[in-house]
Amino acid sequence: MPEDHFGEEVAAHYDDPSDERFQPAAIEPVIDLLAELAGDGAALELGIGTGRIALPLAERGVEVHGIDLSSAMVARLRAKRGGEEIPVVIGDFATARAEGTFSLAYLVFNTIQNLTTQDEQVACFENVAAHLEPGGQFVIEVGVPNLRRLPPGETVRAFALTEAHVGFDEFDVARQGLISHHYELLDGAWQPHSVPFRYVWPSELDLMARIAGMTLVGRWSGWRREPFTSESTSHVSVWRKG
Ligand SMILES: C[S@@+](CC[C@H](N)C(=O)[O-])C[C@H]1O[C@@H](n2cnc3c(N)ncnc32)[C@H](O)[C@@H]1O
């Protein structure tokens, strides 16, 4: 089982209404696209967490199930209105099996990168394919690796510098790895927190999908189907099974 980086301390501060990702303006387009892709079928969220996306999607009328490694994150989901009704398997989304079949599976907020080897990321695609009905679709939202911003000879790049949060990514280009280091001011004390990731290229995800029997049907730079270009810093991609 992979290491759980979303234990009680992270879960307690995960939901942050001041963060734009938690605001209705950011969430509504996500729900619009996911609900459209799910159609009349059920949806499976890999890394369901505290239900930031799953709960509004369920409120939209979609039957949502989830898989997550972190009991602490899922406890937050359970404490929210409607959270008790969502079936969640505690386990690794590269291998864990949720009951039933799905018209849609989705993995948002860069979470494919929490799987730190290529083998695990491929296994995740294969696991998704095993859950999808024929014609079912898999959506990933993830950043484009930002190596263009890493000058030759450098390994570290800052991504946050505020009075309460200092964050920097440490790249290991040979291994396609990065560690995100956070220092957050919580209750007057700086708390360090580091999480390892494996960054992954859009074309590499397409090959993983092909290994798992899926084909790319859409790639955009955002949830409103904005064009994906050479300057895009993240993407929303959709693969179809069969
Ligand atoms: C960044 S949070 C995203 C939560 C939620 N999807 C959202 O958009 O707010 C990542 C979540 O994925 C879970 N996670 C990370 N790696 C996992 C794995 N290998 N298997 C299952 N869950 C995992 C974490 O426990 C955490 O709840």
Side-chain angles (χ1 to χ4, degrees):
M1 193 78 101
E3 193 179 336
D4 177 7
H5 294 284
F6 290 80
E8 188 52 43
E9 279 169 23
V10 175
H13 301 282
Y14 181 80
D15 287 327
D16 177 3
S18 69
D19 184 326
E20 66 173 25
R21 290 226 187 209
F22 289 80
Q23 290 167 9
I27 290 175
E28 267 163 36
V30 182
I31 304 306
D32 288 344
L33 185 57
L34 294 178
E36 178 192 320
L37 295 174
D40 294 331
L44 176 65
E45 178 164 2
L46 310 181
I48 191 169
T50 62
R52 183 182 68 95
I53 301 302
L55 286 171
L57 186 60
E59 271 172 31
R60 193 66 80 81
V62 177
E63 180 186 329
V64 182
H65 297 229
I67 299 176
D68 205 290
L69 210 50
S70 165
S71 304
M73 292 288 276
V74 173
R76 265 54 191 197
L77 163 71
R78 293 283 180 242
K80 295 178 187 171
R81 191 161 58 93
E84 282 292 352
E85 280 91 71
I86 296 185
V88 179
V89 173
I90 298 294
D92 174 9
F93 56 55
T95 53
R97 176 77 213 188
E99 252 181 61
T101 57
F102 300 87
S103 61
L104 175 70
Y106 62 95
L107 180 49
V108 299
F109 212 157
N110 298 321
T111 304
I112 183 70
Q113 300 186 147
N114 281 77
L115 299 172
T116 55
T117 68
Q118 190 181 57
D119 280 350
E120 288 172 305
Q121 292 177 349
V122 169
C124 175
F125 273 81
E126 292 174 325
N127 195 29
V128 163
H131 283 85
L132 288 177
E133 298 157 359
Q137 301 185 91
F138 181 32
V139 178
I140 283 188
E141 173 199 36
V142 65
V144 176
N146 56 4
L147 294 194
R148 288 168 75 193
R149 314 233 7 222
L150 191 71
E154 304 275 330
T155 56
V156 173
R157 194 182 153 261
F159 60 81
L161 188 55
T162 69
E163 287 181 359
H165 183 201
V166 177
F168 54 89
D169 283 332
E170 182 185 4
F171 287 84
D172 178 347
V173 175
R175 284 188 48 257
Q176 214 167 301
L178 76 85
I179 303 175
S180 288
H181 300 279
H182 299 263
Y183 293 85
E184 289 183 86
L185 194 57
L186 297 170
D187 305 324
W190 286 97
Q191 303 286 345
H193 175 61
S194 296
V195 185
F197 296 100
R198 179 180 188 271
Y199 60 83
V200 61
W201 302 95
S203 56
E204 192 184 5
L205 291 169
D206 294 341
L207 277 178
M208 293 181 187
R210 189 188 290 195
I211 288 169
M214 292 186 267
T215 313
L216 183 72
V217 291
R219 170 160 294 135
W220 307 288
S221 65
W223 290 97
R224 293 188 177 84
R225 295 183 163 101
E226 298 92 334
F228 181 74
T229 72
S230 304
E231 301 307 318
S232 297
T233 55
S234 65
H235 61 105
V236 174
S237 296
V238 185
W239 300 271
R240 183 175 293 135
K241 176 176 168 176

